[in-house]
Amino acid sequence: MQAVLFNITSFKSMSITSVHYIIEELTKKESGKIIAVLTRVFGPHNFELAEDVFQDVLIKALESWQEKGVPDNPTAWLYRAAKNRAIDMLRKYRHEYTYGDDHNPLLDSEYTANTVLEDYFKEHEIKDDQLRMIFACCHPDIAKEAQTAMVLKTISGFSIPQIAKAFITSKDTIEKRLYRARKAFRDGKVAFTIPTGDELIARLENVLKTIYLIFNESYSSSYDDELIKESLALDTIRLCTLIVEHPSTCRPEARALLALCYFHTARMPGRISASGDLLLMSEQNRSLWNKDFIDAGIHQLTLAAEGSNISRYHVEAAIAYEHCKAETYDATDWRMILEYYNILQQIEPSPIILLNRAVVLKELEGAAKAIEVIKSIPGINYLDKYYLLHAILGKLYSEIGSKIDAIKHFEKALSLVVSTAERKLINKELKELTS
């Protein structure tokens, strides 16, 4: 049975609210593991049956724990209940469901099913099943935005409202995305396997892009819930770790993405002041940065140097490392960072990368040069509704003393920004210009 991950020792007289909270926390921690195993048991086309079984287990836990109290090891209780419920379903519906081609026939016998499921719920088997589930969620027959929602819901245990909040969209939109993804499972288009050969390389690229997108949402300032941000960031580290720990998927680009996640997550504690204000990097207290995460990032980036392929994750991780290793803002090696951006724009050219490069150029050649470069970016009009473009231009124009242009761009940024923290920062800049 799975080792204890959520230890509670004395909850015999708890309120209903407390029981709900514990189940909510357990769902976040354990749902992805249990549903992955159940999907292996029933087959990916019966994925919704796996979800239903897990929901049945949660309902049973809620009823039992409210009446009898939370067990000393609630995690083990959930795993045991999931195993028993799966055996019940296999016994009851063995003639009604068609299971996958790789269905273990030993599961059909009452004498061997229990032993097989005990093996399925061992830690190394759970990790492999989670990895299979990640690849299933990122199948090419599932739309990109649905892949992200599916990973967060199925693997990471995020609720639909949490996913909707993270991606600044409605619950209805997320539910529609999940419905379409589940339909691909239901129609038998998705295999519950880790691909091999050329297919593995292509699918792994898709998996890493999905994780990268989730991480970008965690690090963006487009919403205010710091707990969700931190949960998203930590979960990308967990997902990447699953990938690099498996011999089939441990590739340099996966390690580079893991390094990038570690470096950025390490800096998150310094981004918000005690009063809730967003802090620029030059204002952050670097002693708050997570040194263990920085060390872990360095370790992964070193291992990622194997081979001759350089991905965008390598370059972005190298940029993040330069920021992390600088003891002060003034000690930042901007010339090295500029070199990395020059490489990055060749690998993955985009207006946003060129905009970030211009910000670095400002540190080396001044605000006027940065403005000139931004104006010459191909496709810069594409970013006209991107609040950060106008926030950056507002700051640059302010630094060269062009107050009218600075106010114009800050006001445009203010009309586009969603985050309260970003809004406060922009309002602060405007107040300084108009006072």
Side-chain angles (χ1 to χ4, degrees), residues 264-282:
H264 280 311
T265 306
R267 302 205 312 263
M268 289 182 78
R271 295 181 69 205
I272 304 294
S273 71
S275 58
D277 293 328
L278 185 67
L279 298 175
L280 300 175
M281 195 180 295
S282 58

Side-chain angles (χ1 to χ4, degrees), residues 178-196:
L178 290 170
Y179 174 81
R180 290 191 290 267
R182 290 186 178 110
K183 187 176 185 303
F185 276 74
R186 193 165 55 246
D187 292 346
K189 295 179 179 180
V190 177
F192 196 69
T193 59
I194 300 172
T196 59

Side-chain angles (χ1 to χ4, degrees), residues 417-435:
V417 72
V418 175
S419 163
T420 303
E422 285 281 2
R423 181 176 294 276
K424 286 174 67 177
L425 183 60
I426 294 168
N427 271 321
K428 178 183 174 184
E429 297 283 357
L430 275 170
K431 187 176 180 179
E432 290 177 0
L433 284 168
T434 56
S435 59

Side-chain angles (χ1 to χ4, degrees), residues 205-398:
E205 181 181 354
N206 205 28
V207 167
L208 295 180
K209 283 182 178 178
T210 300
I211 295 173
Y212 179 76
L213 177 60
I214 294 171
F215 184 78
N216 277 347
E217 289 302 320
S218 78
Y219 207 73
S220 75
S221 296
S222 54
Y223 58 97
D224 293 309
D225 193 324
E226 292 299 317
L227 290 177
I228 292 182
K229 285 184 182 183
E230 183 180 2
S231 293
L232 284 171
L234 292 175
D235 208 63
T236 57
I237 290 174
R238 185 180 69 85
L239 294 174
C240 277
T241 300
L242 282 171
I243 291 169
V244 302
E245 286 182 346
H246 195 282
S248 298
T249 55
C250 182
R251 296 177 60 86
E253 58 268 34
R255 288 195 180 278
L257 178 56
L258 180 53
L260 175 63
C261 293
Y262 268 125
F263 288 141
H264 280 311
T265 306
R267 302 205 312 263
M268 289 182 78
R271 295 181 69 205
I272 304 294
S273 71
S275 58
D277 293 328
L278 185 67
L279 298 175
L280 300 175
M281 195 180 295
S282 58
E283 303 169 329
Q284 292 178 20
N285 179 356
R286 299 187 176 218
S287 67
L288 297 176
W289 293 0
N290 189 321
K291 190 178 184 303
D292 289 340
F293 275 20
I294 293 173
D295 290 342
I298 292 170
H299 176 67
Q300 292 298 329
L301 188 56
T302 302
L303 295 174
E306 298 176 0
S308 57
N309 180 50
I310 299 178
S311 68
R312 70 173 300 171
Y313 309 123
H314 284 85
V315 184
E316 290 193 33
I319 292 170
Y321 167 66
E322 289 296 329
H323 288 299
C324 285
K325 79 172 187 179
E327 294 185 3
T328 65
Y329 186 79
D330 292 338
T332 306
D333 190 343
W334 295 108
R335 292 198 180 279
M336 181 59 72
I337 293 176
L338 182 62
E339 286 300 315
Y340 286 135
Y341 270 110
N342 290 340
I343 296 170
L344 187 57
Q345 70 174 333
Q346 295 175 22
I347 296 174
E348 199 89 19
S350 78
I352 289 179
I353 287 173
L354 292 173
L355 177 63
N356 290 333
R357 178 183 177 276
V359 173
V360 174
L361 202 61
K362 172 254 180 187
E363 298 290 340
L364 295 169
E365 300 186 33
K369 178 64 176 179
I371 293 169
E372 178 188 335
V373 169
I374 290 172
K375 287 181 176 179
S376 67
I377 292 175
I380 191 62
N381 292 336
Y382 169 77
L383 298 181
D384 188 56
K385 294 189 181 300
Y386 182 44
Y387 82 94
L388 203 51
L389 167 65
H390 297 285
I392 289 170
L393 284 171
K395 187 70 174 176
L396 294 173
Y397 277 116
S398 175

